[in-house]
Amino acid sequence: MASKSKKAQFDAVKTLEQIEDKFEMFQILNEEGEVVNEDAMPEISDEDLQELMRRMVYTRILDQRSISLNRQGRLGFYAPTAGQEASQIASHFALEKEDWILPGYRDVPQIVWHGLPLYQAFLFSRGHFKGNQPPEGVNVLSPQIIIGAQYIQTAGVALGLKKRGKKAVAITYTGDGGSSQGDFYEGINFAGSYSAPAIFVVQNNQFAISTPRDKQTAGKTIAQKAVAAGIPGILVDGMDPLAVYAATREARERAVNGEGPSLIETMCYRYGPHTMAGDDPTRYRTSEMDTDWEKKDPLVRFRKFLEAKGLWSEEKENEVIEEAKEDIKQAIKKADGEPKQKVTDFINNMFEELPYNLKEQLEIYTEKESK
């Protein structure tokens, strides 16, 4: 006769549920732009609130024009950003100039606002090597194409900042799909082990290309994955600029004070396709879903908040729109003026001292290009 199994001394399922229940959505502004969490309001001046809105509006126009330029064949690879302005721009607004940004391929706006000239961002899209040469003092790396690889790199950069005694952080971004990569966990685990000053952001825009978030993980949230690495994690309303700013600012303060890294999951939505390389979001998203998320638009929400405070107007917004259009016009013109890349450029940029086989190729292509 089989013996009766012993009753478990602990309830593993209950423990999991208790952990997951603690990751509630952090929000300050609701969809109507009303403050619903007064105690969490960050200390930020009226001028900075206006500047944050200016950058978000500018970025929306940059996205619209970049899509148009891509369709004209004047840009190469491009990943739309509309809908993620609060997640991207408000998190960047919480940083300082000395901080380092290790972006994913959708995170060009952050490095532009960190100092990368706009024409170089356009050159990056075209695959031009000069798009990967930020000016001295602009602490950014080129947007990472390999999904999740920037998480590993961020752990290393952050550790380097710590060892050099810098009061700065390294911040990186990926999407919900990127959180399924091994590099994601390795990065947060390594940074946690060495208490490196890093901020890891997962922009959960609901779909990794066409794969819905609920197919990425059985976890109720991505933020809870911080628990396994022994670091703080927070789930933030990624359509709420104030919530994103407050969460990022707090994570930065902890990091520079020697309290280690943080993981921030921003719940957001991309209104456009995954990239302009043929993705059709109508094949995996419903019009009802699009409509629901459009009601949460970060620009609409923040605009209502600022207008109620007398800090924004249609006139101000139109000025920003015209400024953005003119800047983009001049930047694409400057990018167009850069010399076309040659094969010899790639060869010369590859090594400080060329191996024999590339020396042979260099001679061949130098002769071809001279004709």
Side-chain angles (χ1 to χ4, degrees):
M1 184 176 178
S3 60
K4 293 182 179 180
S5 60
K6 291 184 178 180
K7 185 177 181 181
Q9 298 301 306
F10 61 89
D11 189 335
V13 173
K14 185 177 180 180
T15 299
L16 172 62
E17 291 173 346
Q18 288 175 338
I19 291 173
E20 291 188 321
D21 288 343
K22 292 184 182 298
F23 285 86
E24 298 179 351
M25 182 87 74
F26 174 57
Q27 183 186 73
I28 295 177
L29 295 179
N30 65 15
E31 294 175 24
E32 297 303 317
E34 301 165 337
V35 177
V36 293
N37 191 348
E38 189 69 46
D39 292 341
M41 275 290 291
E43 292 184 7
I44 182 169
S45 68
D46 288 348
E47 290 74 17
D48 280 345
L49 289 172
Q50 291 173 316
E51 177 61 16
L52 177 54
M53 181 61 177
R54 187 184 78 83
R55 295 185 184 189
M56 289 172 58
V57 172
Y58 190 110
T59 301
R60 178 68 62 90
I61 300 303
L62 175 59
D63 180 67
Q64 293 171 356
R65 296 296 297 146
S66 295
I67 290 172
S68 178
L69 289 165
N70 173 273
R71 288 171 174 162
Q72 295 169 24
R74 300 180 71 188
L75 284 187
F77 178 83
Y78 183 69
T81 61
Q84 297 188 210
E85 292 90 353
S87 176
Q88 295 178 318
I89 308 306
S91 61
H92 173 263
F93 206 68
L95 304 178
E96 300 294 340
K97 188 177 187 300
E98 60 267 25
D99 296 331
W100 282 82
I101 302 177
L102 291 85
Y105 50 73
R106 200 181 306 280
D107 303 304
V108 173
Q110 296 98 301
I111 60 175
V112 168
W113 288 114
H114 211 57
L116 182 74
L118 187 54
Y119 85 95
Q120 286 191 267
F122 290 151
L123 289 175
F124 162 78
S125 175
R126 294 176 175 183
H128 197 292
F129 69 90
K130 287 190 176 180
N132 296 303
Q133 297 176 340
E136 187 70 28
V138 177
N139 296 345
V140 303
L141 269 66
S142 297
Q144 178 60 262
I145 300 297
I146 301 171
I147 307 296
Q150 62 271 33
Y151 266 54
I152 293 285
Q153 295 168 333
T154 299
V157 172
L159 182 59
L161 291 172
K162 179 180 179 179
K163 291 178 74 67
R164 294 182 182 186
K166 302 290 187 181
K167 285 289 186 180
V169 304
I171 187 171
T172 191
Y173 301 81
T174 193
D176 42 305
S179 71
S180 294
Q181 295 292 108
D183 287 354
F184 165 81
Y185 181 73
E186 291 172 20
I188 63 175
N189 187 65
F190 182 94
S193 295
Y194 289 92
S195 196
I199 301 174
F200 299 100
V201 181
V202 176
Q203 299 188 86
N204 184 352
N205 62 20
Q206 312 308 307
F207 291 91
I209 308 183
S210 60
T211 304
R213 175 252 174 270
D214 60 10
K215 298 295 184 184
Q216 293 293 339
T217 177
K220 189 175 179 180
T221 68
I222 295 172
Q224 73 194 54
K225 297 179 183 291
V227 175
I231 67 175
I234 183 172
L235 174 64
V236 182
D237 183 345
M239 310 296 268
D240 174 359
L242 292 182
V244 174
Y245 173 83
T248 310
R249 193 68 189 174
E250 182 178 326
R252 186 186 186 279
E253 290 176 2
R254 285 200 303 269
V256 298
N257 289 331
E259 298 174 41
S262 299
L263 175 65
I264 301 174
E265 176 185 1
T266 60
M267 192 69 73
C268 55
Y269 198 73
R270 57 170 169 83
Y271 293 142
H274 176 70
T275 72
M276 297 302 294
D279 172 47
D280 180 5
T282 64
R283 299 181 64 181
Y284 54 86
R285 294 192 323 211
T286 65
S287 58
E288 290 78 14
M289 179 179 291
D290 288 344
T291 300
D292 286 344
W293 279 96
E294 284 170 4
K295 294 175 183 177
K296 302 175 183 179
D297 190 315
L299 269 66
V300 174
R301 184 183 304 196
F302 203 42
R303 183 185 298 121
K304 289 179 178 179
F305 169 72
L306 293 180
E307 286 178 343
K309 293 171 67 68
L311 297 176
W312 200 251
S313 65
E314 184 177 355
E315 182 181 6
K316 283 181 181 293
E317 187 150 334
N318 287 335
E319 288 175 359
V320 177
I321 291 171
E322 292 307 313
E323 176 193 2
K325 288 180 178 179
E326 182 60 27
D327 287 353
I328 293 164
K329 179 182 177 180
Q330 296 303 320
I332 199 69
K333 182 179 179 180
K334 187 171 183 178
D336 288 342
E338 285 293 329
K340 302 297 183 183
Q341 293 183 110
K342 302 187 295 291
V343 174
T344 52
D345 290 329
F346 289 109
I347 296 175
N348 284 319
N349 288 336
M350 195 174 297
F351 295 98
E352 183 176 356
E353 184 173 339
L354 294 177
Y356 75 92
N357 60 318
L358 285 182
K359 286 181 179 178
E360 292 177 358
Q361 292 182 42
L362 182 62
E363 290 177 5
I364 293 170
Y365 281 100
T366 298
E367 183 179 353
K368 285 183 177 181
E369 291 169 0
S370 66
K371 294 179 180 179

